[in-house]
Amino acid sequence: AVTLDPDFGTAWASGIAQSIQSDKPELPAVLAERALARASLRTPLNKAQIQLSSAILHKDEPARIAALTELARLAPNDTGAVLGLAENEQRRRRYSAAAQLYRRVLAMDPGNAGALNSLGYAEGENGDLDAAKKTLEAYGQRPDQANNALDSLGEVYFMNGRFAEAEKYFAQVSAREPNFLNGAPLMKAAYAHWLGGDLAGADALVKKFLDLRAKQNDPLVVWHEAVWQYATGRREQALATLGKAP
């Protein structure tokens, strides 16, 4: 197709996508370079798509963001581009801007559970716990998301230094499904309990976590224990624990 019409952007974009699956790792970048060398490449949308592919292939983050911005302008209903921009704003700690973009995604795609969860995090990271709680509770009403919503609520409250509330949410997850995320909420509850001022009580929670992981035949049980000891200021004890590892 591009031999017949060298400016046929759709064909270039499709060819680049297909070539990623080939056994020639250098081919996608070569095709993107050839396509972008066409000053008359059609259309602006195809060009932005190819620029995005090129940026990803070259691990060029500024170019990736520029391409996503252009895609979001040219195709305002493209949720993928807007999500990419939202995630970038969140990584850069521009939480209010990220939240606005996640809301834009949800306006286009109300069923996007991932965007709803991410919105809750962005609101929480921006310090608006009331909004985050409302958003994440709505997320918990989505099919099969109740446990993850509680875990997300725990993390949002934890990040805001509200350790008692965070522990409550993590404990609810553990009570509902002890094996959720391989028991990680139990360890998170332990950190919240410790930062609430009770190391002995936190140690008891960690023991439950370690017992659970041992039942799951986790080969890193000793490592988990040592990391906990080190994180809570017991360096020598952590070293001694590691010394007993297989």
Side-chain angles (χ1 to χ4, degrees):
V2 298
T3 300
L4 293 170
D5 181 358
D7 292 325
F8 188 13
T10 299
W12 281 111
S14 298
I16 292 164
Q18 290 293 324
S19 68
I20 292 172
Q21 310 299 324
S22 74
D23 57 357
K24 298 178 181 179
E26 74 288 348
L27 183 58
V30 171
L31 291 176
E33 183 178 352
R34 286 173 55 193
L36 294 173
R38 302 290 308 176
S40 51
L41 183 71
R42 301 188 311 275
T43 61
L45 179 61
N46 292 140
K47 182 177 180 179
Q49 291 169 335
I50 295 169
Q51 287 171 330
L52 177 60
S53 295
S54 177
I56 293 171
L57 290 165
H58 288 97
K59 296 181 172 61
D60 185 338
E61 186 62 11
R64 188 181 78 88
I65 299 307
L68 284 171
T69 301
E70 183 68 358
L71 281 171
R73 183 184 72 83
L74 293 169
N77 293 323
D78 180 355
T79 57
V82 181
L83 271 175
L85 291 173
E87 291 162 0
N88 176 66
E89 295 291 358
Q90 199 163 7
R91 281 195 299 272
R92 298 179 68 179
R93 301 191 178 199
R94 300 200 298 216
Y95 302 124
S96 180
Q100 290 179 5
L101 289 165
Y102 286 126
R103 292 188 191 104
R104 179 175 161 188
V105 171
L106 289 164
M108 293 185 282
D109 181 12
N112 194 319
L116 190 60
N117 188 40
S118 295
L119 172 60
Y121 274 99
E123 291 170 334
E125 289 162 333
N126 202 40
D128 191 347
L129 279 173
D130 289 339
K133 184 173 185 291
K134 183 178 178 180
T135 297
L136 291 171
E137 285 177 345
Y139 169 64
Q141 298 301 312
R142 300 294 177 91
D144 302 319
Q145 301 300 342
N147 289 333
N148 199 48
L150 289 169
D151 188 64
S152 296
L153 277 163
E155 292 192 336
V156 163
Y157 274 84
F158 189 99
M159 288 185 287
N160 280 275
R162 301 275 289 272
F163 302 121
E165 293 100 322
E167 181 182 354
K168 179 189 73 174
Y169 286 119
F170 292 137
Q172 286 180 32
V173 182
S174 296
R176 286 172 56 95
E177 178 50 68
N179 291 316
F180 183 72
L181 297 179
N182 294 320
L186 194 54
M187 177 60 91
K188 295 175 190 178
Y191 274 102
H193 196 89
W194 166 53
L195 290 169
D198 180 8
L199 180 58
D203 280 339
L205 290 172
V206 170
K207 185 178 186 308
K208 291 181 180 179
F209 169 77
L210 296 174
D211 289 344
L212 175 65
R213 296 304 289 260
K215 290 178 182 177
Q216 297 171 344
N217 297 313
D218 182 357
L220 297 177
V221 169
V222 172
W223 179 80
H224 289 301
E225 183 179 7
V227 168
W228 167 252
Q229 291 165 342
Y230 186 84
T232 51
R234 295 170 285 184
R235 180 178 180 275
E236 295 305 319
Q237 191 174 343
L239 288 169
T241 298
L242 286 174
K244 296 183 292 186

